[in-house]
Amino acid sequence: MAYTVGQVARVAGVTVRTLHHYDGIGLLSPSGRTPAGYRRYNDADLQRLQLVLYYRELGFPLEEIAAIIDDPAADPAAHLRRQHELLTVRIKRLQEMVTAIEFAMEASKLNIQLTPEERFEVFGDFEPEEHEAEAEQRWGDTDAYRESNRRASRYGRDDWLRIKAENEDWGRRIVALLASGAPADSPEAMDLAEEHRQIISRWFYECSYEVHTGLADMYMADERFTSHYENIAPGLAAYLNEAIHANAISRA
């Protein structure tokens, strides 16, 4: 079946000008033309375009995409494997960014006195200040927000690295507990929920059981938090939510 350049543009979600450019540089040339010189694309052309768009989305320059696609040793299955590997790496990086976002939102508005080198060591290339507006809008009128901001403004590099290490250690242990099959209302799960509450209280603000259960509900209601925990381990968001509630009922 033959497709016009306009039809291909609509199906692929690109502009006609983009297709003209791809043709001009030899990245995607149509297999045929009408007697009047208009481009006509076939199914094989669309498959090639799909590969081009995959690799472009992954950040490859166009000249490198051409070399990858035209590699005689790469069959369609090889392209899929490569794309899967690259996307897996990107997903891991996005998960790390979500973790940093959660960290920043719990810390609220961070007035962090760190050098650029120290900031990169603690936060990577994530910028906590980018989320200040949302944190202030949601919690700006609360005592917890003001207390968190007051404490955070005094923390230095070593403090932030300790906080990061504590959270990572706690995260590894709750994932292991979930994998073991222990119920969310087991003593072990409730102990980890209590430790989570104490980490917040120790570093950011006094986290009462009422506030803690509110956070637990936010982990389920806000898809960013839910996705973050589910990407760490399937079922973790609901598991943590239930453990926090069980802990609050048991100890409050």
Side-chain angles (χ1 to χ4, degrees), residues 8-9 11-15 18-19 22 27-28 45-60 62 65 69 83 87 90:
V8 173
V11 169
V14 298
T15 65
T18 294
L19 294 175
Y22 289 171
L27 179 59
L28 176 69
D45 297 330
L46 267 61
Q47 290 175 1
R48 182 179 175 90
L49 175 59
Q50 186 178 48
L51 289 175
V52 170
L53 297 180
Y54 277 150
Y55 284 115
R56 190 184 71 176
E57 178 64 25
L58 290 167
F60 284 79
L62 295 181
I65 293 174
I69 295 176
Q83 289 156 13
L87 286 170
R90 172 171 286 191

Short mmCIF file of all heavy atoms in Angstrom, two decimals, residues 8-9 11-15 18-19 22 27-28 45-60 62 65 69 83 87 90:
data_model
loop_
_atom_site.label_atom_id
_atom_site.label_comp_id
_atom_site.label_asym_id
_atom_site.label_seq_id
_atom_site.Cartn_x
_atom_site.Cartn_y
_atom_site.Cartn_z
N VAL A 8 1.49 9.90 6.00
CA VAL A 8 2.56 9.41 6.87
C VAL A 8 2.79 10.38 8.03
O VAL A 8 2.96 9.97 9.18
CB VAL A 8 3.86 9.20 6.08
CG1 VAL A 8 5.01 8.85 7.02
CG2 VAL A 8 3.68 8.12 5.04
N ALA A 9 2.77 11.67 7.73
CA ALA A 9 2.97 12.67 8.78
C ALA A 9 1.90 12.56 9.86
O ALA A 9 2.19 12.61 11.06
CB ALA A 9 2.97 14.08 8.17
N VAL A 11 -0.04 9.89 10.60
CA VAL A 11 0.07 8.61 11.32
C VAL A 11 1.23 8.63 12.31
O VAL A 11 1.10 8.15 13.45
CB VAL A 11 0.24 7.45 10.31
CG1 VAL A 11 0.61 6.17 11.04
CG2 VAL A 11 -1.04 7.24 9.52
N ALA A 12 2.36 9.19 11.90
CA ALA A 12 3.56 9.16 12.73
C ALA A 12 3.65 10.30 13.73
O ALA A 12 4.47 10.26 14.65
CB ALA A 12 4.80 9.17 11.84
N GLY A 13 2.80 11.30 13.57
CA GLY A 13 2.84 12.44 14.49
C GLY A 13 4.02 13.35 14.26
O GLY A 13 4.55 13.95 15.21
N VAL A 14 4.47 13.45 13.02
CA VAL A 14 5.55 14.36 12.67
C VAL A 14 5.05 15.34 11.62
O VAL A 14 3.94 15.19 11.09
CB VAL A 14 6.79 13.60 12.14
CG1 VAL A 14 7.33 12.66 13.20
CG2 VAL A 14 6.45 12.82 10.86
N THR A 15 5.86 16.31 11.29
CA THR A 15 5.45 17.28 10.27
C THR A 15 5.91 16.82 8.89
O THR A 15 6.85 16.03 8.75
CB THR A 15 6.05 18.66 10.56
OG1 THR A 15 7.48 18.58 10.45
CG2 THR A 15 5.69 19.12 11.97
N THR A 18 9.46 17.66 8.40
CA THR A 18 10.40 16.68 8.98
C THR A 18 10.65 15.55 8.00
O THR A 18 11.80 15.13 7.79
CB THR A 18 9.84 16.12 10.30
OG1 THR A 18 9.79 17.17 11.26
CG2 THR A 18 10.72 15.00 10.83
N LEU A 19 9.60 15.03 7.37
CA LEU A 19 9.76 13.95 6.39
C LEU A 19 10.57 14.41 5.19
O LEU A 19 11.39 13.65 4.67
CB LEU A 19 8.39 13.44 5.96
CG LEU A 19 7.57 12.75 7.06
CD1 LEU A 19 6.18 12.40 6.55
CD2 LEU A 19 8.28 11.49 7.56
N TYR A 22 14.16 14.36 6.36
CA TYR A 22 14.69 12.99 6.42
C TYR A 22 15.03 12.48 5.01
O TYR A 22 16.02 11.77 4.82
CB TYR A 22 13.68 12.04 7.07
CG TYR A 22 13.51 12.25 8.56
CD1 TYR A 22 12.50 11.59 9.25
CD2 TYR A 22 14.34 13.11 9.29
CE1 TYR A 22 12.33 11.76 10.62
CE2 TYR A 22 14.18 13.30 10.65
CZ TYR A 22 13.16 12.61 11.31
OH TYR A 22 12.98 12.79 12.66
N LEU A 27 17.99 9.78 5.27
CA LEU A 27 17.62 8.95 6.41
C LEU A 27 16.37 8.15 6.12
O LEU A 27 16.25 6.98 6.51
CB LEU A 27 17.39 9.84 7.65
CG LEU A 27 16.98 9.14 8.94
CD1 LEU A 27 18.05 8.14 9.36
CD2 LEU A 27 16.75 10.17 10.05
N LEU A 28 15.42 8.75 5.43
CA LEU A 28 14.18 8.06 5.07
C LEU A 28 13.70 8.59 3.72
O LEU A 28 13.04 9.62 3.66
CB LEU A 28 13.10 8.26 6.13
CG LEU A 28 11.75 7.65 5.80
CD1 LEU A 28 11.84 6.11 5.85
CD2 LEU A 28 10.67 8.13 6.76
N ASP A 45 8.82 1.52 4.39
CA ASP A 45 9.24 2.89 4.73
C ASP A 45 8.70 3.28 6.11
O ASP A 45 9.40 3.91 6.91
CB ASP A 45 8.73 3.88 3.69
CG ASP A 45 9.31 3.64 2.30
OD1 ASP A 45 10.45 3.14 2.22
OD2 ASP A 45 8.62 3.93 1.31
N LEU A 46 7.45 2.92 6.39
CA LEU A 46 6.87 3.24 7.69
C LEU A 46 7.57 2.51 8.82
O LEU A 46 7.75 3.05 9.92
CB LEU A 46 5.36 2.92 7.70
CG LEU A 46 4.44 4.10 7.34
CD1 LEU A 46 4.73 4.59 5.93
CD2 LEU A 46 2.98 3.70 7.48
N GLN A 47 8.00 1.28 8.55
CA GLN A 47 8.73 0.54 9.58
C GLN A 47 10.08 1.22 9.86
O GLN A 47 10.51 1.31 11.01
CB GLN A 47 8.95 -0.89 9.13
CG GLN A 47 7.67 -1.73 9.11
CD GLN A 47 7.88 -3.12 8.55
OE1 GLN A 47 9.00 -3.49 8.18
NE2 GLN A 47 6.81 -3.89 8.48
N ARG A 48 10.72 1.70 8.81
CA ARG A 48 11.98 2.40 9.00
C ARG A 48 11.75 3.70 9.77
O ARG A 48 12.53 4.05 10.68
CB ARG A 48 12.64 2.70 7.65
CG ARG A 48 14.00 3.39 7.77
CD ARG A 48 14.60 3.64 6.40
NE ARG A 48 15.84 4.39 6.50
CZ ARG A 48 17.05 3.85 6.63
NH1 ARG A 48 17.18 2.55 6.69
NH2 ARG A 48 18.14 4.62 6.70
N LEU A 49 10.68 4.41 9.43
CA LEU A 49 10.36 5.64 10.14
C LEU A 49 10.14 5.37 11.63
O LEU A 49 10.56 6.16 12.49
CB LEU A 49 9.13 6.31 9.53
CG LEU A 49 8.61 7.56 10.25
CD1 LEU A 49 9.69 8.64 10.30
CD2 LEU A 49 7.35 8.09 9.56
N GLN A 50 9.49 4.26 11.92
CA GLN A 50 9.26 3.91 13.33
C GLN A 50 10.58 3.74 14.06
O GLN A 50 10.75 4.23 15.19
CB GLN A 50 8.43 2.63 13.43
CG GLN A 50 8.02 2.28 14.85
CD GLN A 50 7.16 1.04 14.89
OE1 GLN A 50 7.49 0.03 14.29
NE2 GLN A 50 6.04 1.11 15.61
N LEU A 51 11.55 3.09 13.44
CA LEU A 51 12.87 2.94 14.05
C LEU A 51 13.53 4.30 14.25
O LEU A 51 14.14 4.57 15.29
CB LEU A 51 13.75 2.05 13.19
CG LEU A 51 13.41 0.56 13.16
CD1 LEU A 51 14.32 -0.15 12.16
CD2 LEU A 51 13.57 -0.06 14.54
N VAL A 52 13.43 5.15 13.25
CA VAL A 52 14.02 6.49 13.34
C VAL A 52 13.44 7.23 14.55
O VAL A 52 14.18 7.83 15.35
CB VAL A 52 13.76 7.29 12.05
CG1 VAL A 52 14.15 8.76 12.25
CG2 VAL A 52 14.53 6.70 10.88
N LEU A 53 12.12 7.18 14.70
CA LEU A 53 11.47 7.91 15.79
C LEU A 53 11.80 7.31 17.15
O LEU A 53 11.93 8.04 18.13
CB LEU A 53 9.95 7.94 15.56
CG LEU A 53 9.50 8.67 14.29
CD1 LEU A 53 7.99 8.63 14.15
CD2 LEU A 53 10.01 10.11 14.28
N TYR A 54 11.93 5.99 17.21
CA TYR A 54 12.34 5.35 18.46
C TYR A 54 13.70 5.89 18.92
O TYR A 54 13.87 6.32 20.06
CB TYR A 54 12.46 3.83 18.29
CG TYR A 54 11.17 3.06 18.41
CD1 TYR A 54 11.00 1.87 17.69
CD2 TYR A 54 10.14 3.50 19.23
CE1 TYR A 54 9.83 1.14 17.79
CE2 TYR A 54 8.96 2.77 19.32
CZ TYR A 54 8.81 1.59 18.61
OH TYR A 54 7.65 0.87 18.71
N TYR A 55 14.66 5.84 18.00
CA TYR A 55 16.02 6.25 18.36
C TYR A 55 16.10 7.76 18.59
O TYR A 55 16.88 8.23 19.44
CB TYR A 55 17.01 5.81 17.29
CG TYR A 55 17.32 4.34 17.34
CD1 TYR A 55 16.96 3.48 16.29
CD2 TYR A 55 17.97 3.78 18.43
CE1 TYR A 55 17.24 2.12 16.33
CE2 TYR A 55 18.26 2.42 18.48
CZ TYR A 55 17.89 1.60 17.43
OH TYR A 55 18.16 0.25 17.49
N ARG A 56 15.31 8.52 17.86
CA ARG A 56 15.30 9.97 18.10
C ARG A 56 14.78 10.28 19.49
O ARG A 56 15.30 11.15 20.19
CB ARG A 56 14.44 10.67 17.04
CG ARG A 56 14.59 12.19 17.07
CD ARG A 56 13.66 12.86 16.09
NE ARG A 56 12.26 12.75 16.53
CZ ARG A 56 11.23 13.31 15.91
NH1 ARG A 56 11.44 14.02 14.80
NH2 ARG A 56 10.01 13.17 16.35
N GLU A 57 13.73 9.56 19.91
CA GLU A 57 13.17 9.75 21.24
C GLU A 57 14.20 9.43 22.33
O GLU A 57 14.20 10.02 23.40
CB GLU A 57 11.93 8.87 21.43
CG GLU A 57 11.28 8.96 22.80
CD GLU A 57 10.72 10.33 23.11
OE1 GLU A 57 10.40 11.09 22.17
OE2 GLU A 57 10.60 10.66 24.31
N LEU A 58 15.09 8.49 22.01
CA LEU A 58 16.13 8.12 22.96
C LEU A 58 17.33 9.06 22.92
O LEU A 58 18.31 8.86 23.64
CB LEU A 58 16.59 6.68 22.67
CG LEU A 58 15.57 5.60 23.02
CD1 LEU A 58 15.97 4.27 22.40
CD2 LEU A 58 15.42 5.46 24.53
N GLY A 59 17.26 10.09 22.08
CA GLY A 59 18.28 11.12 22.09
C GLY A 59 19.43 10.94 21.12
O GLY A 59 20.42 11.67 21.19
N PHE A 60 19.31 10.00 20.17
CA PHE A 60 20.39 9.78 19.22
C PHE A 60 20.36 10.86 18.13
O PHE A 60 19.29 11.23 17.64
CB PHE A 60 20.26 8.40 18.56
CG PHE A 60 20.68 7.27 19.44
CD1 PHE A 60 19.86 6.78 20.43
CD2 PHE A 60 21.93 6.67 19.26
CE1 PHE A 60 20.25 5.74 21.24
CE2 PHE A 60 22.33 5.62 20.07
CZ PHE A 60 21.49 5.15 21.06
N LEU A 62 20.67 12.29 14.31
CA LEU A 62 20.16 11.67 13.09
C LEU A 62 21.22 10.89 12.33
O LEU A 62 20.95 9.82 11.79
CB LEU A 62 19.53 12.74 12.19
CG LEU A 62 18.28 13.44 12.76
CD1 LEU A 62 17.75 14.45 11.76
CD2 LEU A 62 17.20 12.43 13.12
N ILE A 65 21.64 7.64 13.96
CA ILE A 65 20.47 6.78 13.72
C ILE A 65 20.61 6.08 12.37
O ILE A 65 20.34 4.88 12.25
CB ILE A 65 19.17 7.60 13.78
CG1 ILE A 65 18.92 8.11 15.21
CG2 ILE A 65 17.98 6.77 13.30
CD1 ILE A 65 17.74 9.06 15.32
N ILE A 69 20.57 2.00 11.91
CA ILE A 69 19.53 1.32 11.14
C ILE A 69 20.11 0.59 9.93
O ILE A 69 19.66 -0.49 9.56
CB ILE A 69 18.45 2.32 10.70
CG1 ILE A 69 17.72 2.88 11.91
CG2 ILE A 69 17.46 1.68 9.74
CD1 ILE A 69 16.70 3.96 11.58
N GLN A 83 16.62 -1.25 21.74
CA GLN A 83 15.69 -0.25 22.25
C GLN A 83 15.23 -0.60 23.66
O GLN A 83 15.09 0.28 24.52
CB GLN A 83 14.50 -0.13 21.31
CG GLN A 83 14.85 0.52 19.98
CD GLN A 83 13.89 0.15 18.88
OE1 GLN A 83 12.84 -0.42 19.12
NE2 GLN A 83 14.27 0.44 17.63
N LEU A 87 15.79 1.83 26.79
CA LEU A 87 14.64 2.30 27.56
C LEU A 87 14.74 1.87 29.01
O LEU A 87 14.32 2.61 29.92
CB LEU A 87 13.34 1.77 26.93
CG LEU A 87 12.93 2.45 25.63
CD1 LEU A 87 11.78 1.70 24.98
CD2 LEU A 87 12.52 3.90 25.89
N ARG A 90 16.88 4.32 30.67
CA ARG A 90 16.17 5.59 30.87
C ARG A 90 15.16 5.49 31.99
O ARG A 90 15.03 6.41 32.80
CB ARG A 90 15.47 6.00 29.57
CG ARG A 90 14.56 7.21 29.75
CD ARG A 90 14.03 7.76 28.45
NE ARG A 90 15.06 8.48 27.73
CZ ARG A 90 14.80 9.24 26.67
NH1 ARG A 90 13.57 9.34 26.22
NH2 ARG A 90 15.76 9.87 26.05
#
